[in-house]
Amino acid sequence: MSDYFPTELLIEIFLKLPVKPLIRCTTVCKSWHSLITSPSFICLHISENKNHALLLRRYDSRDKREHYSLLKVADDGVFAVNSSLELEFPFKSQIGYFRIVGSCNGLVCLSDDFFANPSQPLIIWNPSVRNHVVLPKATINPEQPHIFAVGFGAAGDDYKVVRLVYCREPDDFGFIVPPQAEIFSLKTRKWRRVKGVNVRLQILEFMWSQVFLKGVVHWLAYESINNDNSRHSSSILGFQVDKEVFTELLLPNELVGETVTNLSASLIGESLGVIKYSREDGSESCDVWMMKDYDVKESWTKLYRIDLSKGIERVVAFWKSGEALVVVREFSLVVYNPETKQTRNLGIHGTTRSFYIDNYVESLVLLRGHSGAVEEGLIGYALEKLSLDSCCIT
């Protein structure tokens, strides 16, 4: 059937379709299947896809299940949920709910490691195509006590998981730096070790989380500044997914001396943000900071302060309007307006630490039957419209 249409015309039509109709189109004929499942088209479809949503995860203690939903939110004005679609979640955590390592281009990386067995496998899941990959066992598993941190991001048409392993110092509470590191590539389906890791920063034990921005995975980290490991300097450790190199981004002077356990990294619009929590001397608040110019220390700006004494527990995410999505002590997700300092209940319930919100765009990555075959005309067209060197980077 596709012989009656030029490949370029087919691509233009397919690019306008959501994932589910595209999956049905793969069954029409072999040439359509080859085109739709090709890496070039999958990458181009992500870049052209305007059907964005928010991915919400929450754990409900009443039914003891974690729930994943796609929220359709109005682009303009205050935060308001227009519709919600609950996703089928095919996994069961051994400890209540999974840690979400990160989300990128329709893929969600999951780890079942919260204060439990670190040997549990990592999972990369695409809810849109209802498929997933269980990663093989990591290659770095020291016998001595150790901790690890994981990051997830995209580079071109590949997706990578980076794993850092810190071994404990003998007869000490500190950890050896630099850590050992390894990378899993979704394209090769293998782990490989990174040589010459030049990292002096340590990621926080157990409580690590990431922000993926500009092709870089970011974690809050710290460095010991005295011999007995009693004083620390906080910073941000970055990992450039395409070049596979580690970098450091400096925090403002006001946050450098802050204990890293009081800090939380977040995405604010298209900028990197850090939230500083203060719960001392009967005063509970958090300060919201944003790096307006990427990797420019002087561009860090304090946006506003949130009073936590009125029942707000933690900040989950930020909206385009400047509003913050926060969890209150009644285990509800609410919208906080920094100008009026008022909150608005969204009627969404879950345990405080289980809430996760990130941008989501459906994609064909991990589509079953992906052959990797690419038609010659498709390659030329895709490279003309969008360079694969920058494709899929958010």
Side-chain angles (χ1 to χ4, degrees), residues 91-107:
F91 315 108
K92 178 66 175 177
S93 170
Q94 296 185 0
I95 47 178
Y97 55 89
F98 283 83
R99 181 203 298 268
I100 299 180
V101 177
S103 173
C104 177
N105 294 339
L107 298 183

Side-chain angles (χ1 to χ4, degrees), residues 214-279:
K214 297 186 181 297
V216 180
V217 175
H218 305 83
W219 305 270
L220 283 166
Y222 65 92
E223 179 183 12
S224 179
I225 56 178
N226 60 352
N227 293 332
D228 63 2
N229 203 37
S230 61
R231 295 180 60 199
H232 304 96
S233 173
S234 296
S235 190
I236 295 176
L237 177 63
F239 177 73
Q240 296 182 13
V241 180
D242 57 348
K243 298 179 181 179
E244 298 185 353
V245 296
F246 292 93
T247 60
E248 180 181 3
L249 286 78
L250 300 178
L251 289 171
N253 294 335
E254 293 86 344
L255 300 182
V256 169
E258 191 67 36
T259 304
V260 71
T261 53
N262 294 334
L263 303 177
S264 176
S266 183
L267 191 65
I268 304 178
E270 297 182 356
S271 299
L272 187 62
V274 170
I275 306 158
K276 172 196 168 186
Y277 290 89
S278 177
R279 302 179 187 271

Side-chain angles (χ1 to χ4, degrees), residues 4-19:
Y4 295 99
F5 298 96
T7 301
E8 291 79 5
L9 179 58
L10 277 176
I11 293 174
E12 289 289 355
I13 295 172
F14 289 157
L15 286 177
K16 299 181 186 301
L17 297 179
V19 164

Side-chain angles (χ1 to χ4, degrees), residues 264-387:
S264 176
S266 183
L267 191 65
I268 304 178
E270 297 182 356
S271 299
L272 187 62
V274 170
I275 306 158
K276 172 196 168 186
Y277 290 89
S278 177
R279 302 179 187 271
E280 298 179 356
D281 302 326
S283 174
E284 296 181 294
S285 64
C286 68
D287 296 333
V288 179
W289 290 77
M290 183 175 73
M291 180 184 273
K292 291 189 173 182
D293 297 318
Y294 185 74
D295 201 13
V296 179
K297 177 183 177 181
E298 293 73 20
S299 73
W300 279 105
T301 303
K302 181 179 172 180
L303 299 180
Y304 54 84
R305 171 171 291 184
I306 301 176
D307 182 2
L308 302 180
S309 64
K310 297 180 180 180
I312 296 175
E313 289 285 336
R314 61 180 283 257
V315 178
V316 180
F318 294 90
W319 186 238
K320 302 173 185 178
S321 60
E323 296 172 312
L325 304 179
V326 303
V327 185
V328 296
R329 288 173 189 158
E330 292 78 15
F331 304 129
S332 295
L333 187 68
V334 305
V335 181
Y336 175 83
N337 187 313
E339 295 182 359
T340 65
K341 303 186 186 306
Q342 299 298 310
T343 59
R344 180 163 42 86
N345 200 319
L346 294 173
I348 300 173
H349 303 279
T351 58
T352 301
R353 292 290 169 185
S354 70
F355 279 103
Y356 174 93
I357 296 176
D358 200 0
N359 295 316
Y360 182 86
V361 56
E362 63 175 17
S363 76
L364 293 161
V365 183
L366 293 185
L367 179 62
R368 292 183 187 275
H370 173 251
S371 65
V374 186
E375 294 183 10
E376 193 170 321
L378 174 60
I379 294 178
Y381 182 85
L383 292 178
E384 180 181 349
K385 282 201 71 172
L386 184 66
S387 170

